[in-house]
Amino acid sequence: MVPKIKIYGTERCHKSQYYIHFLKGLNLDFQFLDVEIVEANAEALRSLYENRRLNFPTITIGEKKLRNPSDSDLKKWIEKLS
């Protein structure tokens, strides 16, 4: 089963790493999509935005797109998954 939570980012981005550790701390299943290493991940991220920019980190939770969310916003949308 594909996780409902995806993080679009890069290994070198401290904010991407923050969200990875945040979600691991909540023991949640998620998918990390590196937009520097895999061009298909970069294209998927570009398709989320009208300006087609690599706006990372971006987290998707189901159909919801969150650009660099606060902890409280992220928790709010995670709770809606259940």
Side-chain angles (χ1 to χ4, degrees), residues 8-10 12-13 16 33-59 65-68:
Y8 294 89
T10 68
R12 65 180 175 85
C13 171
S16 296
L33 302 165
D34 194 307
V35 299
E36 283 186 326
I37 295 174
V38 180
E39 182 57 35
N41 294 341
E43 186 55 34
L45 177 57
R46 283 186 191 100
S47 73
L48 295 175
Y49 293 97
E50 275 188 38
N51 65 13
R52 308 260 318 139
R53 291 190 182 174
L54 288 177
N55 293 322
F56 63 85
T58 292
I59 300 171
K65 171 182 66 181
L66 303 166
R67 167 78 172 101
N68 203 13

